[in-house]
Amino acid sequence: MGRKEPVNMKPVFAVPRRALGGTRLQVSVLGFGTAPLGDLYVQLDDGTAIDTVKRAFDLGINLLDTSPLYGNGLAEHRCGAAIRRVPRQDIVVCTKVGRWTDPFRGRGDRAGFAGGLPHRAVVDYSYDGTMRSVEQSLLRLGVDRLDLLLIHDVDVWTHGADAIEERFREAMAGAYVALDRLRGEGVVAGIGIGVNEAEMCVRFAQAGSFDTMLLAGRYSLLEQPALAEFLPLAQQQGIGVLLGGVFNSGILATGAVSGAKYNYRDAPPEILARVARIESICDAHGVALPTAALHFALGHPAVASVVLGGQSPQEVERNVAALSCDVPAALWSDLKAECLLAAEAPVPLPVAG
């Protein structure tokens, strides 16, 4: 009698892994970002949220990026439920500091989150505030250690030009000291920052000893301001780079359609026009715009992983499938010939057949 094949078993594309800076961690080149699990813009039910994380794990994504900011702790709670379904040693858990949550003061500013927990996020980069944030995250996630801890949102985008110097000093004198201690004690394997500006990555890299940095939006198919200074510095110092926002808040996923978002706002006419030109070249090569955007972001040798969010298991499946698509080298050369891509930008090798 022949052996029965298991039912409902689909072949899974193995997501490649890369070393993360000087840490011992190997992270999947596609990470899972959990801002949507905090009810960003729309409310999700718990079952869908948890199933989405679980699907990411099933498909070979091992990097889970979260933050107390996302739904004022809701994303971490949901991540904790998903983490308990897999062996802890199989995944890399990254969360952030710079905010702790107060359960007694109401939600406050929801920062774009449609739902979330009825707790208020308190910005605090002090040593004690950082330790409180870490303790709360450990409790919400249901774990006794973290793999990566990032100092979150020390940038002009978040705090404004008038406050950034004070925030930077507070972060280096408080949060950095706390994270460096936790790294030394083995509570966390690596420390870093998560910001929206390449210039702040450079400042932190020059001020302390960091293992990783998560930069959102500033190295993408649309714009590459991190190319000149930060990414070479990261290579020189052995900092493992994680990239977020590689669709620039949506426009590189949707294309130049009416209402397309850029930097969380409606895209201005010049951005719409530039994306339309990029998309036309992608179309000429038979490559979807978001696929090209994902492959380009992974083409720089400093980049360990691209962190993409998802609201459903199907979104995660599409993102993973895009990794295995072939992008011809001629697409990149055509973009450079049209001055739509920095001439010196490294481009990825075609996927081996």
Side-chain angles (χ1 to χ4, degrees):
M1 225 175 152
R3 184 170 63 89
K4 283 190 177 181
E5 292 297 320
V7 294
N8 297 326
M9 292 294 287
K10 296 180 181 178
V12 173
F13 175 71
V15 180
R17 295 187 179 180
R18 296 177 179 176
L20 183 65
T23 71
R24 299 185 302 277
L25 301 172
Q26 294 279 328
V27 296
S28 50
V29 297
L30 189 62
F32 184 72
T34 63
L37 271 59
D39 291 343
L40 183 63
Y41 304 130
V42 296
Q43 289 186 265
L44 298 182
D45 66 89
D46 284 340
T48 299
I50 295 165
D51 286 347
T52 303
V53 184
K54 184 61 166 55
R55 188 61 179 145
F57 293 156
D58 290 342
L59 291 173
I61 294 172
N62 77 331
L63 174 61
L64 183 70
D65 175 67
T66 190
S67 170
L69 172 65
Y70 305 155
N72 292 345
L74 179 60
E76 287 187 325
H77 271 295
R78 286 169 164 172
C79 287
I83 288 169
R84 288 190 288 277
R85 302 182 183 192
V86 297
R88 175 65 182 87
Q89 68 272 16
D90 289 355
I91 58 173
V92 175
V93 178
C94 173
T95 193
K96 305 181 182 80
V97 301
R99 297 175 178 89
W100 51 271
T101 54
D102 186 339
F104 302 112
R105 293 171 56 197
R107 294 181 195 273
D109 178 16
R110 295 192 184 190
F113 292 93
L117 299 181
H119 302 160
R120 179 169 302 200
V122 179
V123 175
D124 187 347
Y125 296 103
S126 70
Y127 182 95
D128 289 345
T130 297
M131 289 300 197
R132 176 183 290 190
S133 175
V134 172
E135 181 179 5
Q136 290 183 343
S137 290
L138 289 167
L139 290 169
R140 282 191 290 260
L141 290 164
V143 297
D144 59 358
R145 64 177 175 83
L146 297 162
D147 298 295
L148 299 172
L149 269 176
L150 310 181
I151 305 171
H152 201 190
D153 284 345
V154 184
D155 50 32
V156 177
W157 174 273
T158 304
H159 301 292
D162 292 341
I164 189 59
E165 295 304 323
E166 180 59 30
R167 290 301 190 191
F168 179 76
R169 284 193 295 269
E170 182 185 19
M172 285 305 302
Y176 174 72
V177 175
L179 266 54
D180 189 42
R181 173 185 166 184
L182 293 172
R183 176 174 56 182
E185 293 175 348
V187 176
V188 62
I191 66 172
I193 66 165
V195 294
N196 298 282
E197 294 153 7
E199 298 84 357
M200 293 308 300
C201 289
V202 172
R203 287 194 65 179
F204 276 102
Q206 293 172 340
S209 173
F210 293 95
D211 304 293
T212 187
M213 293 189 176
L214 171 56
L215 176 62
R218 304 287 77 83
Y219 190 74
S220 73
L221 192 60
L222 178 58
E223 57 183 274
Q224 301 91 46
L227 188 59
E229 190 173 4
F230 169 56
L231 291 174
L233 181 62
Q235 285 182 278
Q236 179 187 336
Q237 295 192 359
I239 296 171
V241 176
L242 310 175
L243 291 180
V246 297
F247 297 148
N248 289 110
S249 302
I251 193 166
L252 289 180
T254 63
V257 298
S258 176
K261 300 299 181 186
Y262 169 71
N263 283 351
Y264 306 101
R265 299 183 177 91
D266 288 343
E270 65 273 16
I271 295 295
L272 288 168
R274 185 177 181 88
V275 171
R277 293 176 64 198
I278 293 172
E279 189 169 16
S280 69
I281 291 176
C282 291
D283 289 344
H285 290 280
V287 176
L289 177 64
T291 297
L294 175 58
H295 281 249
F296 171 74
L298 286 168
H300 197 288
V303 175
S305 182
V306 168
V307 178
L308 294 182
Q311 293 180 332
S312 69
Q314 292 75 27
E315 278 191 48
V316 177
E317 290 166 2
R318 286 197 298 270
N319 291 336
V320 171
L323 283 174
S324 60
C325 295
D326 191 25
V327 180
L331 185 152
W332 312 119
S333 56
D334 285 354
L335 287 172
K336 290 185 177 185
E338 294 294 321
C339 298
L340 293 169
L341 190 59
E344 66 275 21
V347 297
L349 298 172
V351 176

